[in-house]
Amino acid sequence: MWKELLLASVTTLAPSVTPGDVHFAHDTLRRGTPAQVGLDAAPIARMVTDAAAYLVPTPDHPNWPTYAGAVVLAAKDGVIVQHAAVGDAVRYTAVGPPPGRVGEELPPAERIPMRKDTIFDLASISKLFTTVVVLRQVEAGRVDLDAPVARYLPEFAAGGKADVTVRMLLTHTSGLPAFLPLWSSHPTPEARLAAAVATPLATGARPGGQYVYSDLGLIALGELAHRVTGHTLDVLVRDQITRPLSMVDTAYNPPASLRSRIAATEYQPYAGRGMVWGEVHDENAWSLGGVAGHAGLFSTAADLAVFCQMLLNGGQYKGRRVLRGSTVRAMLVNYNAALEPSYPESDRGLGLELNKHWYMGPLASPVSFGHTGFTGTSIVVDPLSHSFVILLSNRVHPDRGWGGNNPARRAVVRDFGEATPVRPPSRAAWRATPGDAATATMTAPLRRPATSGTLSFDLWYDTEPRVDTVRVESTVDGTQWSPLPLTLRRGGDRWSADGMVTGYGGRTWWRATAAIPDGTTAVRWTYTTDVNSQGRGVYVDRVLALGRGAPLFTGEGADASRLVLDRWVEARR
């Protein structure tokens, strides 16, 4: 499908995709090889190497290791092509004061190695399970997404929230503040929950008028589900999601008997907890008894794989339906599109994050979804390729001050994305070398100045929208460069650009054409990226420039050796 997009300086008909274009799978997870699902084996193997690289300080995370350990799992078309563990689940007993924050390590014999079935504190990935529980109540007719939350929680109306709807809580547009230290401000779980529900809107906020990611909204949704069903959230998640899907290692408040399988998290002496291990890390969830709408769930990579596949299957797995297909499709709509100019990171479906290149990388698209968790967890699901990548880490072990794990998230997802071949129309294409804060140029000097010239070439692009761009330009004197307006075609589809493209390119090749101004002596392609996050990248093939029907540049012929390449390389896949 197509829609009109406003992308930076470009107003054009550009390729896009909507939830209506998604085709749900009917897959059951099983082990297999990358080749079985058309993936290259080397990048899939590199996922483990790159995950392990962050067990020590790295150039993009130089002061401490990113995490003590991690588990990675990746699948396509139901085939699990990678599942591996690196590092330690439990390594530290405490951490020293800032600025050094030196971790106090266990003796090597007492450390617990990470295993593929290690159980992790999911942190905010718990929000997805709360979302599914709430949407099941919508399907049952107990909850209306556009009804005020106060219809189900009368006390929620306090603090200017009478018009806040259920949908606004799921899309984080209610106007609630992001966080309050309930655990230290109120004496009992009951008082903390009451305070969360009664929290007023942030100063100047109005329902639906802004995007602020809020734990408090999900705490309220967890209690809403309790009120309308009469069952607590942990029971609802168990009975409506994990038990039907046989997710046997997924639960709140895991029993002490499983402690040896659980990854430790943070040293929290300020909360009187010491090294948190086997209890929820989030202080508010812990103070609410371990069960809350925003955090508290523990799980394994294998269990989460079932959850991801259930969503790729349109809400069902192995014959057990959790959600209707129409509900899953509704989850993928970007309800915050109108807020995006003011809040660029606001893309949200119902409970899901959408199109977030900062951790989805080349799997990002307008309908790709996922979530991250503060403890170092993340899932990325691409319904277009029927793929997902799970990275579970204990990055807060032993201290959150050691920093985030976004570079590791990007590295592992980038590897998976690189495993999908981009097959050039010819024997080989030219690819802009991936890199952050980089500029790559490829210049084609013409045999003579153009007269009545035309340019044509094949283009494949997938970049971070707005900030990573591909420009096609011409020059007369080699100093001043001007954009070349483009027409792009594929089959019966046709659209135009003013010399620059960005964002989702449809994951396909386009034939681009342009008129070359008289006197042009060279044309060039420039790929520019910002400081982090990328898509799959940019490829150019079969370059041909003509002037009055005679060749000015033939990229598949003798002129190929005349290309001036700066960070462009030959690519066969």
Side-chain angles (χ1 to χ4, degrees):
M1 295 181 68
W2 305 86
K3 65 179 181 179
E4 190 166 348
L5 301 176
L6 181 62
L7 296 177
S9 64
V10 181
T11 303
T12 183
L13 288 173
S16 188
V17 63
T18 74
D21 301 316
V22 170
H23 299 285
F24 293 131
H26 302 281
D27 293 322
T28 299
L29 293 168
R30 67 268 188 206
R31 291 304 304 258
T33 66
Q36 286 177 268
V37 286
L39 299 178
D40 291 341
I44 297 299
R46 197 163 59 239
M47 296 176 76
V48 182
T49 305
D50 283 346
Y54 288 91
L55 297 172
V56 296
T58 56
D60 53 10
H61 198 279
N63 296 322
W64 298 277
T66 295
Y67 39 61
V71 174
V72 61
L73 189 153
K76 174 177 169 56
D77 297 330
V79 175
I80 297 172
V81 296
Q82 186 59 270
H83 188 190
V86 299
D88 293 319
V90 183
R91 185 182 181 96
Y92 303 95
T93 60
V95 68
R101 301 183 189 273
V102 177
E104 298 180 14
E105 294 186 326
L106 288 162
E110 296 180 23
R111 299 170 191 169
I112 299 179
M114 196 68 77
R115 304 177 355 181
K116 290 193 290 186
D117 66 348
T118 292
I119 299 170
F120 287 82
D121 178 342
L122 297 184
S124 285
I125 291 179
S126 305
K127 292 179 171 73
L128 301 186
F129 290 77
T130 304
T131 296
V132 170
V133 165
V134 170
L135 292 178
R136 283 179 59 90
Q137 310 321 308
V138 174
E139 289 185 351
R142 299 187 187 98
V143 172
D144 182 340
L145 283 174
D146 295 310
V149 176
R151 176 184 296 180
Y152 314 102
L153 293 175
E155 65 271 35
F156 185 85
K161 305 195 301 297
D163 294 330
V164 171
T165 67
V166 176
R167 190 188 304 272
M168 291 175 191
L169 294 186
L170 288 169
T171 58
H172 296 271
T173 58
S174 66
L176 280 168
F179 168 83
L180 288 176
L182 304 171
W183 69 275
S184 61
S185 302
H186 303 277
T188 65
E190 295 76 16
R192 294 169 190 133
L193 179 59
V197 172
T199 299
L201 295 184
T203 301
R206 62 179 180 82
Q210 61 289 301
Y211 170 77
V212 177
Y213 177 73
S214 175
D215 282 354
L216 298 170
L218 270 293
I219 292 174
L221 283 174
E223 180 58 14
L224 181 152
H226 179 200
R227 296 284 183 90
V228 300
T229 64
H231 299 291
T232 56
L233 182 61
D234 56 336
V235 172
L236 292 169
V237 168
R238 182 195 67 198
D239 291 350
Q240 300 184 0
I241 304 174
T242 62
R243 184 175 287 170
L245 296 179
S246 298
M247 297 172 64
V248 296
D249 287 323
T250 304
Y252 301 87
N253 291 322
S257 61
L258 291 177
R259 191 168 187 251
S260 64
R261 286 184 55 200
I262 298 174
T265 53
E266 189 176 29
Y267 183 57
Q268 293 185 351
Y270 58 86
R273 304 182 70 190
M275 181 60 69
V276 179
W277 179 20
E279 292 183 332
V280 62
H281 167 265
D282 182 273
E283 298 93 338
N284 281 345
W286 166 67
S287 74
L288 289 167
V291 180
H294 71 297
L297 205 57
F298 287 73
S299 190
T300 62
D303 270 10
L304 281 181
V306 172
F307 185 80
C308 292
Q309 192 63 55
M310 176 272 293
L311 293 172
L312 283 176
N313 288 354
Q316 63 87 27
Y317 185 75
K318 285 188 174 180
R320 304 302 297 270
R321 182 159 293 282
V322 174
L323 291 172
R324 299 170 185 162
S326 58
T327 299
V328 176
R329 218 175 284 282
M331 294 172 74
L332 306 184
V333 174
N334 180 14
Y335 296 98
N336 294 349
L339 295 174
E340 193 170 347
S342 299
Y343 301 90
E345 283 298 314
S346 66
D347 290 6
R348 284 267 175 176
L350 297 176
L352 300 172
E353 292 188 315
L354 301 175
N355 205 21
K356 297 289 193 291
H357 282 75
W358 62 268
Y359 72 95
M360 297 180 182
L363 296 191
S365 78
V367 293
S368 296
F369 61 92
H371 216 286
T372 62
F374 188 81
T375 51
T377 58
S378 57
I379 63 172
V380 179
V381 185
D382 175 17
L384 300 180
S385 66
H386 294 164
S387 303
F388 60 85
V389 173
I390 298 167
L391 178 66
L392 304 180
S393 81
N394 53 355
R395 73 98 185 164
V396 295
H397 183 55
D399 188 272
R400 70 186 71 188
W402 283 20
N405 66 320
N406 288 338
R409 287 168 170 156
R410 287 193 286 270
V412 169
V413 172
R414 180 176 64 244
D415 291 336
F416 186 85
E418 290 285 333
T420 300
V422 175
R423 304 185 189 280
S426 71
R427 180 183 62 86
W430 296 103
R431 183 188 186 186
T433 302
D436 293 327
T439 297
T441 59
M442 180 172 68
T443 305
L446 304 185
R447 297 178 185 177
R448 60 187 177 277
T451 303
S452 302
T454 59
L455 172 69
S456 61
F457 59 94
D458 296 305
L459 175 66
W460 195 106
Y461 73 95
D462 180 74
T463 77
E464 186 180 10
R466 296 175 299 276
V467 292
D468 292 356
T469 61
V470 186
R471 300 192 309 277
V472 184
E473 301 166 303
S474 67
T475 184
V476 172
D477 58 10
T479 302
Q480 300 294 321
W481 293 85
S482 302
L484 284 177
L486 302 173
T487 299
L488 298 101
R489 298 177 176 85
R490 178 179 179 271
D493 296 325
R494 170 176 170 161
W495 60 287
S496 60
D498 66 357
M500 186 269 279
V501 296
T502 182
Y504 176 72
R507 299 182 182 175
T508 191
W509 285 93
W510 296 91
R511 189 64 180 171
T513 57
I516 304 175
D518 288 350
T520 292
T521 59
V523 295
R524 75 178 181 188
W525 295 258
T526 303
Y527 176 44
T528 305
T529 61
D530 71 343
V531 294
N532 64 49
S533 312
Q534 298 170 55
R536 183 65 167 82
V538 180
Y539 298 75
V540 171
D541 197 10
R542 297 195 304 177
V543 177
L544 177 64
L546 301 173
R548 290 186 173 175
L552 298 173
F553 187 94
T554 56
E556 301 304 304
D559 291 323
S561 62
R562 299 175 56 237
L563 282 169
V564 180
L565 305 172
D566 181 4
R567 294 181 56 86
W568 286 72
V569 296
E570 190 177 67
R572 297 177 183 272
R573 292 175 70 81

